[in-house]
Tab-separated table of all heavy atoms in Angstrom:
chain	number	residue	atom	x	y	z
M	193	ASN	N	-52.145	-39.919	-1.718
M	193	ASN	CA	-52.847	-38.718	-2.071
M	193	ASN	C	-54.220	-39.078	-2.727
M	193	ASN	O	-54.259	-40.112	-3.329
M	193	ASN	CB	-52.008	-37.889	-3.057
M	193	ASN	CG	-50.909	-37.133	-2.471
M	193	ASN	OD1	-50.860	-36.962	-1.272
M	193	ASN	ND2	-50.057	-36.544	-3.274
M	194	CYS	N	-55.148	-38.229	-2.529
M	194	CYS	CA	-56.401	-38.529	-3.217
M	194	CYS	C	-56.392	-38.046	-4.601
M	194	CYS	O	-55.384	-37.328	-5.032
M	194	CYS	CB	-57.570	-37.756	-2.408
M	194	CYS	SG	-57.471	-35.954	-2.359
M	195	ASP	N	-57.364	-38.357	-5.417
M	195	ASP	CA	-57.368	-38.026	-6.856
M	195	ASP	C	-57.257	-36.553	-7.109
M	195	ASP	O	-56.681	-36.118	-8.115
M	195	ASP	CB	-58.675	-38.597	-7.524
M	195	ASP	CG	-58.631	-40.050	-7.627
M	195	ASP	OD1	-57.507	-40.680	-7.620
M	195	ASP	OD2	-59.725	-40.714	-7.659
M	196	SER	N	-57.821	-35.729	-6.239
M	196	SER	CA	-57.788	-34.244	-6.416
M	196	SER	C	-56.363	-33.681	-6.185
M	196	SER	O	-56.093	-32.516	-6.551
M	196	SER	CB	-58.842	-33.552	-5.582
M	196	SER	OG	-58.397	-33.727	-4.228
M	197	LEU	N	-55.498	-34.478	-5.550
M	197	LEU	CA	-54.112	-34.102	-5.227
M	197	LEU	C	-54.092	-32.910	-4.325
M	197	LEU	O	-53.082	-32.168	-4.201
M	197	LEU	CB	-53.380	-33.780	-6.492
M	197	LEU	CG	-53.185	-34.953	-7.570
M	197	LEU	CD1	-52.359	-34.535	-8.722
M	197	LEU	CD2	-52.677	-36.192	-6.840
M	198	GLN	N	-55.208	-32.649	-3.504
M	198	GLN	CA	-55.194	-31.525	-2.620
M	198	GLN	C	-54.310	-31.876	-1.396
M	198	GLN	O	-54.266	-32.953	-0.896
M	198	GLN	CB	-56.676	-31.268	-2.040
M	198	GLN	CG	-57.589	-30.624	-3.090
M	198	GLN	CD	-58.901	-30.423	-2.493
M	198	GLN	OE1	-59.829	-31.324	-2.417
M	198	GLN	NE2	-59.143	-29.278	-1.972
M	199	GLU	N	-53.492	-30.861	-1.001
M	199	GLU	CA	-52.538	-31.060	0.118
M	199	GLU	C	-53.319	-31.373	1.366
M	199	GLU	O	-54.297	-30.695	1.785
M	199	GLU	CB	-51.687	-29.844	0.340
M	199	GLU	CG	-50.583	-30.049	1.366
M	199	GLU	CD	-49.683	-28.891	1.377
M	199	GLU	OE1	-49.820	-27.932	0.581
M	199	GLU	OE2	-48.740	-28.857	2.289
M	200	GLY	N	-52.922	-32.403	2.087
M	200	GLY	CA	-53.548	-32.817	3.342
M	200	GLY	C	-54.745	-33.694	3.225
M	200	GLY	O	-55.422	-34.084	4.157
M	201	HIS	N	-55.105	-34.066	1.856
M	201	HIS	CA	-56.295	-34.898	1.646
M	201	HIS	C	-55.758	-36.247	1.249
M	201	HIS	O	-54.850	-36.327	0.362
M	201	HIS	CB	-57.128	-34.326	0.504
M	201	HIS	CG	-57.924	-33.091	0.995
M	201	HIS	ND1	-59.250	-33.024	0.946
M	201	HIS	CD2	-57.497	-31.879	1.434
M	201	HIS	CE1	-59.564	-31.806	1.395
M	201	HIS	NE2	-58.538	-31.095	1.675
M	202	TYR	N	-56.245	-37.280	1.823
M	202	TYR	CA	-55.667	-38.641	1.576
M	202	TYR	C	-56.830	-39.601	1.232
M	202	TYR	O	-57.962	-39.430	1.504
M	202	TYR	CB	-54.968	-39.068	2.906
M	202	TYR	CG	-53.859	-38.206	3.373
M	202	TYR	CD1	-54.140	-37.191	4.323
M	202	TYR	CD2	-52.603	-38.324	2.849
M	202	TYR	CE1	-53.130	-36.396	4.748
M	202	TYR	CE2	-51.608	-37.429	3.229
M	202	TYR	CZ	-51.911	-36.478	4.189
M	202	TYR	OH	-50.861	-35.621	4.586
M	203	GLN	N	-56.277	-40.783	0.693
M	203	GLN	CA	-57.213	-41.901	0.379
M	203	GLN	C	-56.546	-43.171	0.821
M	203	GLN	O	-55.331	-43.372	0.667
M	203	GLN	CB	-57.418	-41.897	-1.169
M	203	GLN	CG	-58.154	-43.199	-1.659
M	203	GLN	CD	-59.688	-43.091	-1.274
M	203	GLN	OE1	-60.291	-42.213	-1.679
M	203	GLN	NE2	-60.091	-44.082	-0.548
M	204	ILE	N	-57.350	-44.040	1.466
M	204	ILE	CA	-56.827	-45.366	1.896
M	204	ILE	C	-57.145	-46.395	0.785
M	204	ILE	O	-58.309	-46.497	0.289
M	204	ILE	CB	-57.389	-45.796	3.237
M	204	ILE	CG1	-56.779	-44.918	4.363
M	204	ILE	CG2	-57.162	-47.252	3.489
M	204	ILE	CD1	-57.338	-45.143	5.708
M	205	GLU	N	-56.185	-47.224	0.440
M	205	GLU	CA	-56.380	-48.334	-0.480
M	205	GLU	C	-55.929	-49.587	0.248
M	205	GLU	O	-54.977	-49.533	1.030
M	205	GLU	CB	-55.657	-48.181	-1.763
M	205	GLU	CG	-56.168	-46.941	-2.553
M	205	GLU	CD	-55.442	-46.845	-3.948
M	205	GLU	OE1	-55.064	-47.872	-4.491
M	205	GLU	OE2	-55.374	-45.710	-4.437
M	206	ILE	N	-56.624	-50.725	-0.055
M	206	ILE	CA	-56.452	-51.970	0.705
M	206	ILE	C	-56.119	-53.208	-0.266
M	206	ILE	O	-56.876	-53.303	-1.233
M	206	ILE	CB	-57.603	-52.295	1.659
M	206	ILE	CG1	-57.646	-51.219	2.725
M	206	ILE	CG2	-57.365	-53.678	2.284
M	206	ILE	CD1	-58.822	-51.509	3.689
M	207	TYR	N	-55.117	-53.935	0.067
M	207	TYR	CA	-54.974	-55.268	-0.618
M	207	TYR	C	-55.287	-56.300	0.481
M	207	TYR	O	-54.811	-56.207	1.554
M	207	TYR	CB	-53.541	-55.419	-1.096
M	207	TYR	CG	-53.244	-56.798	-1.510
M	207	TYR	CD1	-53.528	-57.214	-2.880
M	207	TYR	CD2	-52.669	-57.773	-0.633
M	207	TYR	CE1	-53.339	-58.550	-3.275
M	207	TYR	CE2	-52.475	-59.073	-1.097
M	207	TYR	CZ	-52.770	-59.408	-2.345
M	207	TYR	OH	-52.544	-60.737	-2.847
Side-chain angles (χ1 to χ4, degrees):
N193 280 350
C194 65
D195 288 336
S196 67
L197 302 181
Q198 288 181 277
E199 186 175 353
H201 291 239
Y202 303 95
Q203 174 72 58
I204 289 177
E205 296 184 28
I206 295 178
Y207 171 86

